[in-house]
């Protein structure tokens, strides 16, 4: 078992063990054990960071063992520049969520912490799997802990939101299973994803496979028009659930496009790129306008996530290095920024128990430290230079201009809408005089909350000022993927 396996199974095993500590008097010990387990999950990713070779597009840290011999199913793991950063990002966000949930979760603490740790390991498995069926198992298994997190610790309409989340994502994935089985047969009985990349599929086969994968990945991103589940789920999910959903789970769908749709069905990806670009621009522009009229902070940031993920899919389907690398950078940056936005809303909700913008006003007068952090994260959400939110969006806009000037213009409008809805929300919540007794009695950040906000602030600023470590990892793999897609297209 190598470091990659440890990054999957350490949080899963620790999470399962926490489920055994069910007595209420064990809650304090559970919190500390969950923190230790999440830190252990982060520590085992450090050798991956130290040992990754940025000069090659080959899979690294590969582990392969026969799992089910009859069907030639393997426990096959590996990382390249397309998937690498999402492993430490997942472990990092898990640590943050455990700390952020320290006091807000008081019932079934062991189950809550255990569910997040298990979810963390499963998501790392999705990014690491090189066997098609193993990928599908990890991909579908992530639904279970998130379903429980929403359904047990969510808001008043949590059951409705949990069912909507589960049904949307499960129904989309069923077509993906059909595609996986078809590719298994076409490859002579192999579930190896890298082997599937070399299959000589006809135009009709590629189109059907492309849309079969699209059904699962577009819902998970989520792309317009199958994005409607996300705002409802975010509103009802507990703060930690919203943070992980936005920071990591949405990336599973976008990653699927890179690992499956583009390399397996390159001709279909080229043929239908106009549709993907159109849907992405609608998400960027229309959903940005929808965010302007929201009165619920969580719902506003949820629509913001749809718009930002529209940048990701837009970058992938323009078939140039700047756009595709920009999409990947945007995925990482969105993990930091959206996670910080939802955790910030959670800080206010823990005190006032309301997500309505109208319930606040003048928070800067009573929580000046928190208002400063909120301003930084709001600016990053707008795409301010020197923050993580700027780098990916700027790269995608440059790639869009290279692809088509008017597509670039459409993408650039997102910066206007992003600034409009984010800064308007900040103005109404934080600025001006104190308008009600709830705000007048607020206490500023505790040491624990300051730690969470401070660590995320450092991540947002570091990536914005010095994105080179992130882009260096992906450059060679992005170039190799584009070369593969272009070569296949010409044959």
């Amino acid at each position: 078992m190598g470091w990659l396996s440890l990054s999957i199974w350490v949080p899963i095993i620790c999470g399962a063990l926490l489920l055994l500590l069910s007595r209420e008097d064990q809650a304090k010990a559970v919190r500390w054990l969950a923190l230790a387990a999440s830190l252990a999950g982060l520590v085992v990713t450090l050798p991956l960071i130290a040992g990754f070779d940025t000069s090659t597009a080959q899979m690294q840290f590969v582990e392969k063992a026969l799992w089910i011999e009859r069907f030639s199913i393997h426990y096959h793991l590996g990382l390249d520049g397309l998937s690498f950063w999402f492993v430490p990002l997942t472990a990092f966000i898990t640590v943050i969520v455990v700390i952020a949930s320290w006091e807000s979760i008081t019932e079934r603490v062991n189950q809550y912490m255990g569910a997040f740790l298990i979810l963390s390991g499963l998501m790392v498995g999705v990014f690491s799997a090189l066997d098609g069926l193993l990928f599908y198992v990890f991909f579908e298994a992530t639904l279970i802990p998130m379903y429980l997190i929403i359904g047990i610790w969510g808001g008043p309409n949590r059951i409705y939101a949990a069912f909507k989340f589960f049904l949307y994502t499960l129904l989309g994935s069923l077509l993906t299973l059909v595609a996986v089985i078809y590719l298994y047969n076409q490859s002579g009985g192999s579930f190896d994803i890298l082997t599937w990349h070399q299959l000589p599929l006809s135009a009709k086969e590629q189109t059907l496979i492309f849309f079969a994968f699209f059904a699962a990945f577009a819902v998970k991103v989520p792309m317009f028009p199958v994005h409607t589940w996300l705002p409802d789920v975010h509103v009802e999910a507990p703060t930690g659930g919203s943070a992980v959903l936005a920071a990591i789970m949405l990336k599973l769908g976008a990653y699927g496009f890179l690992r499956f749709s583009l390399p397996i069905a390159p001709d279909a990806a080229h043929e239908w790129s106009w549709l993907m670009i159109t849907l992405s621009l609608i998400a960027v522009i229309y959903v940005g306008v929808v965010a302007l009229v929201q009165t619920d902070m969580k719902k506003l940031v949820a629509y913001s996530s749809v718009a930002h993920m529209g940048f990701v899919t837009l970058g992938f389907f323009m078939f140039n290095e700047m756009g595709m690398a920009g999409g990947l950078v945007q995925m990482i940056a969105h993990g930091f920024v959206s996670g910080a936005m939802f955790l910030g809303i959670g800080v206010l909700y823990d005190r006032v128990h309301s997500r309505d913008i109208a319930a606040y006003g003048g928070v800067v007068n009573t929580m000046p430290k928190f208002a400063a952090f909120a301003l930084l994260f709001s600016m990053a959400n707008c795409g301010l230079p020197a923050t993580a939110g700027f780098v990916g969006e700027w790269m995608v806009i440059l790639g869009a201009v290279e692809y088509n000037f008017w597509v670039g213009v459409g993408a650039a409008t997102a910066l206007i809408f992003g600034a409009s809805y984010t800064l308007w929300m900040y103005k109404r919540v934080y600025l001006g005089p104190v308008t009600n007794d709830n705000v007048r009695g607020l206490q500023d950040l505790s040491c624990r909350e300051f730690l969470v906000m401070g660590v995320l602030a450092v991540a947002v600023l570091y990536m914005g000022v010095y994105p080179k470590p992130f882009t260096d990892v992906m450059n060679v793999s992005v170039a190799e993927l584009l070369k593969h897609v272009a070569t296949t297209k010409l044959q």
Side-chain angles (χ1 to χ4, degrees), residues 139-215:
F139 190 80
E140 292 302 289
T142 58
L143 300 181
I144 300 170
M146 182 54 75
Y147 173 81
L148 295 174
I149 289 166
I150 299 166
I152 297 175
W153 294 276
N157 293 321
R158 58 185 179 274
I159 303 300
Y160 165 77
F163 268 98
K164 192 171 185 178
F165 163 76
F166 195 88
L167 291 177
Y168 260 75
T169 48
L170 179 65
L171 290 175
S173 300
L174 293 178
L175 285 176
T176 296
L177 179 60
V178 174
V180 166
I181 294 171
Y182 182 81
L183 290 167
Y184 169 78
N185 291 325
Q186 289 299 108
S187 60
S190 173
F191 280 108
D192 185 69
I193 295 173
L194 301 182
T195 300
W196 291 353
H197 291 180
Q198 309 302 326
L199 289 178
L201 301 172
S202 68
K204 182 179 179 181
E205 287 175 314
Q206 288 195 34
T207 299
L208 292 173
I209 287 170
F210 179 83
F211 281 105
F213 285 128
F214 174 86

Side-chain angles (χ1 to χ4, degrees), residues 146-466:
M146 182 54 75
Y147 173 81
L148 295 174
I149 289 166
I150 299 166
I152 297 175
W153 294 276
N157 293 321
R158 58 185 179 274
I159 303 300
Y160 165 77
F163 268 98
K164 192 171 185 178
F165 163 76
F166 195 88
L167 291 177
Y168 260 75
T169 48
L170 179 65
L171 290 175
S173 300
L174 293 178
L175 285 176
T176 296
L177 179 60
V178 174
V180 166
I181 294 171
Y182 182 81
L183 290 167
Y184 169 78
N185 291 325
Q186 289 299 108
S187 60
S190 173
F191 280 108
D192 185 69
I193 295 173
L194 301 182
T195 300
W196 291 353
H197 291 180
Q198 309 302 326
L199 289 178
L201 301 172
S202 68
K204 182 179 179 181
E205 287 175 314
Q206 288 195 34
T207 299
L208 292 173
I209 287 170
F210 179 83
F211 281 105
F213 285 128
F214 174 86
F217 301 148
V219 170
K220 188 76 86 173
V221 167
M223 294 182 69
F224 177 90
V226 288
H227 66 287
T228 55
W229 63 271
L230 186 67
D232 290 332
V233 170
H234 270 310
V235 166
E236 298 303 326
T239 300
S242 289
V244 168
L245 181 63
I248 308 297
M249 285 200 77
L250 303 188
K251 314 305 182 294
L252 303 182
Y255 170 73
F257 282 122
L258 289 181
R259 187 62 74 211
F260 289 86
S261 303
L262 287 171
I264 294 174
D267 293 342
H270 277 278
E271 182 180 353
W272 293 99
S273 61
W274 65 269
L275 175 64
M276 301 298 292
I277 290 171
T278 301
L279 294 177
S280 299
L281 286 175
I282 292 173
V284 167
I285 300 169
Y286 167 71
V287 177
V289 174
V290 173
L292 278 168
V293 299
Q294 300 305 315
T295 58
D296 184 301
M297 288 188 289
K298 261 195 170 186
K299 190 167 282 191
L300 187 149
V301 178
Y303 279 113
S304 169
S305 290
V306 177
H308 285 112
M309 290 304 292
F311 263 97
V312 173
T313 49
L314 177 64
F316 289 170
F317 284 89
M318 294 184 298
F319 301 103
N320 58 53
E321 286 192 37
M322 186 64 74
M324 188 170 288
L328 276 166
V329 172
Q330 175 72 353
M331 288 167 70
I332 301 167
H334 184 256
F336 292 134
V337 176
S338 66
M341 293 287 287
F342 279 113
L343 290 171
I345 293 170
V347 168
L348 291 176
Y349 184 80
D350 288 343
R351 289 159 168 76
V352 181
H353 300 293
S354 175
R355 295 180 301 267
D356 290 335
I357 294 173
Y360 299 91
V363 172
V364 69
N365 297 289
T366 52
M367 300 181 71
K369 295 177 184 177
F370 175 62
F373 281 121
L375 180 61
L376 171 63
F377 300 137
S378 296
M379 290 298 182
N381 201 51
C382 299
L384 183 75
T387 65
F390 172 76
V391 183
E393 290 187 4
W394 182 242
M395 292 173 70
V396 172
I397 290 171
L398 290 177
V401 171
E402 179 183 335
Y403 174 82
N404 181 285
F405 175 77
W406 293 110
V407 172
V409 171
T413 59
L415 300 179
I416 300 171
F417 290 123
S420 299
Y421 57 69
T422 306
L423 295 181
W424 193 32
M425 178 181 74
Y426 187 87
K427 173 183 177 294
R428 290 180 288 170
V429 173
Y430 295 94
L431 301 183
V434 175
T435 56
N436 60 64
D437 292 336
N438 288 333
V439 175
R440 194 169 287 110
L442 290 178
Q443 297 292 319
D444 211 343
L445 295 174
S446 65
C447 292
R448 176 183 56 82
E449 292 168 331
F450 191 90
L451 173 65
V452 171
M453 295 289 110
V455 170
L456 287 169
V458 170
V460 167
L461 289 172
Y462 178 81
M463 188 175 183
V465 173
Y466 189 61

